Amino acid sequence: MEAILLVGGQGTRLRPLTLTTPKPMLPLAGIPFITHQLLRARQAGVEHVVLATSYRAAMFRDHFADGAGLGLALSYAVEDEPLGTGGALRNAAGHLRGDGPVIILNGDVLGGLDLAALVDRHRHGGAEVTLHLRRVPDPAAYGVVTTDPDGRVLAFEEKTRHPSTDQINAGTYVFSRPALLSIPPGRVVSVERETFPRLIAAGSRILSLLDDDAYWLDIGTPATYIRGNCDLVTGLAPAAAGHAPPGERLVLAGAEIGDGAELSGGTVVGRNAEIAAGAQLHRSVIFDNARIGRGARLTDTVVGGGARVGAGAVLNGVMLGDLTEVRPGARLLAATATAG
């Protein structure tokens, strides 16, 4: 079994963190986000994964190498210029090794979908493409998918103001090899706006698997990035290979926690970070080598690698980039993003 993992986006909504690190490589409960996806793919029987990269592509290869450390074979398809979701898939197709169906994973989604069930639906239904769908209260921000009673896809509308259904495209697919190779090579293609509508119009058999129960989170915003970390630590999200046991906090190797410091709500403290005495951290993510001063109070906050927060500072809903310094006693409130 093979998979393509789309990891080429620039993650602009998570700046300043993504100025130095691609979004899929940001730490989630102590390991790069896509490590969770890769391990879940392996558990579903995937042996070879192609990473479709563009932005800061070398960081993926430098970290994962050939994938042997994860029990996988990894290949890298690099786009010199972004090709869109469909163009990225077509570019990655040249690195595949077999001729069977291909699982497509989205580098934005932390999920607990049963990938083997999606593949079974695809194979037994004789589909060209099978999409994971879920219902959401406000579908206007997503691609909405209309299906018949048997789950065959009838229409696909990308981010319409007046959606005709609450079923959305949840970003995980299975493609047959012919459907994948039907995407035009060498140009920008949106799989959502071009490929799916074209296949539907041509009468191709596009099926769906509706699963509202599996954990699903787009980690592309500051709020959801923090939530994904905390959900993994507290056990609300399925952890990869036991990397994040349920609890109120996750303190990684080499971190120092001062007397009386309080860490709650799924807070993550990175490697070799220092939390001074009396600091209070709730639902916050502290990157490696960061320093939090005595009595500082952080809520729903991300502190980038090597950043410094002074004693008595109060931060709520803030994202600090790598190497940022916050003076003692400062007050930074929601919607503040600070680069180093």
Side-chain angles (χ1 to χ4, degrees):
M1 181 71 67
E2 295 184 282
I4 296 173
L5 178 52
L6 295 169
V7 291
Q10 295 191 18
T12 55
R13 294 177 295 172
L14 286 176
R15 289 177 179 170
L17 299 177
T18 51
L19 293 175
T20 53
T21 303
K23 176 173 58 178
M25 292 296 293
L26 291 175
L28 214 68
I31 57 177
F33 165 53
I34 61 168
T35 305
H36 297 277
Q37 294 175 303
L38 290 169
L39 291 176
R40 289 190 65 81
R42 188 191 69 186
Q43 291 164 3
V46 172
E47 298 176 339
H48 176 223
V49 180
V50 181
L51 271 61
T53 66
S54 178
Y55 177 62
R56 295 188 174 270
M59 293 187 70
F60 295 92
R61 190 187 298 270
D62 289 347
H63 184 86
F64 292 108
D66 63 1
L70 297 178
L72 289 165
L74 296 183
S75 302
Y76 300 86
V78 181
E79 304 162 46
D80 294 330
E81 296 291 337
L83 296 172
T85 49
L89 291 179
R90 186 63 177 84
N91 186 56
H95 295 263
L96 295 169
R97 299 171 180 175
D99 57 6
V102 182
I103 299 173
I104 311 300
L105 301 170
N106 190 312
D108 291 339
V109 175
L110 175 65
L113 175 69
D114 185 341
L115 295 175
L118 187 68
V119 174
D120 285 346
R121 167 71 168 152
H122 179 83
R123 283 176 165 158
H124 294 154
E128 291 298 309
V129 180
T130 303
L131 289 73
H132 169 215
L133 307 184
R134 63 183 295 118
R135 297 186 182 96
V136 297
D138 182 12
Y142 302 93
V144 297
V145 182
T146 304
T147 59
D148 70 12
D150 296 323
R152 181 164 182 169
V153 175
L154 303 177
F156 192 103
E157 303 171 272
E158 181 64 10
K159 296 180 176 64
T160 177
R161 288 186 177 182
H162 304 289
S164 56
T165 175
D166 61 354
Q167 294 182 152
I168 69 160
N169 165 26
T172 302
Y173 324 120
V174 180
F175 268 71
S176 72
R177 204 57 59 100
L180 188 59
L181 295 178
S182 75
I183 300 172
R187 68 171 177 86
V188 176
V189 180
S190 167
V191 72
E192 300 88 357
R193 290 184 170 88
E194 180 176 340
T195 303
F196 292 149
R198 172 179 58 79
L199 290 170
I200 293 168
S204 298
R205 187 168 175 79
I206 313 299
L207 297 181
S208 65
L209 177 67
L210 179 64
D211 186 342
D212 294 325
D213 296 325
Y215 182 93
W216 182 88
L217 184 69
D218 180 338
I219 67 157
T221 69
T224 56
Y225 173 68
I226 293 171
R227 178 182 165 189
N229 272 277
C230 296
D231 283 357
L232 282 164
V233 173
T234 59
L236 294 177
H243 277 279
E248 281 293 300
R249 67 185 197 175
L250 175 64
V251 178
L252 298 172
E256 297 182 8
I257 311 299
D259 293 341
E262 298 179 7
L263 312 179
S264 61
T267 289
V268 179
V269 178
R271 295 165 183 82
N272 302 311
E274 293 182 9
I275 312 299
Q280 299 178 22
L281 280 62
H282 180 67
R283 289 182 54 82
S284 293
V285 182
I286 312 303
F287 282 25
D288 295 352
N289 303 304
R291 303 289 183 268
I292 309 300
R294 179 182 294 269
R297 290 182 290 149
L298 280 62
T299 303
D300 293 326
T301 287
V302 182
V303 178
R308 302 288 188 271
V309 175
V314 177
L315 282 64
N316 190 325
V318 174
M319 292 179 62
L320 301 181
D322 294 348
L323 305 178
T324 302
E325 293 192 15
V326 175
R327 61 179 174 78
R331 293 179 62 87
L332 298 177
L333 303 182
T336 302
T338 305

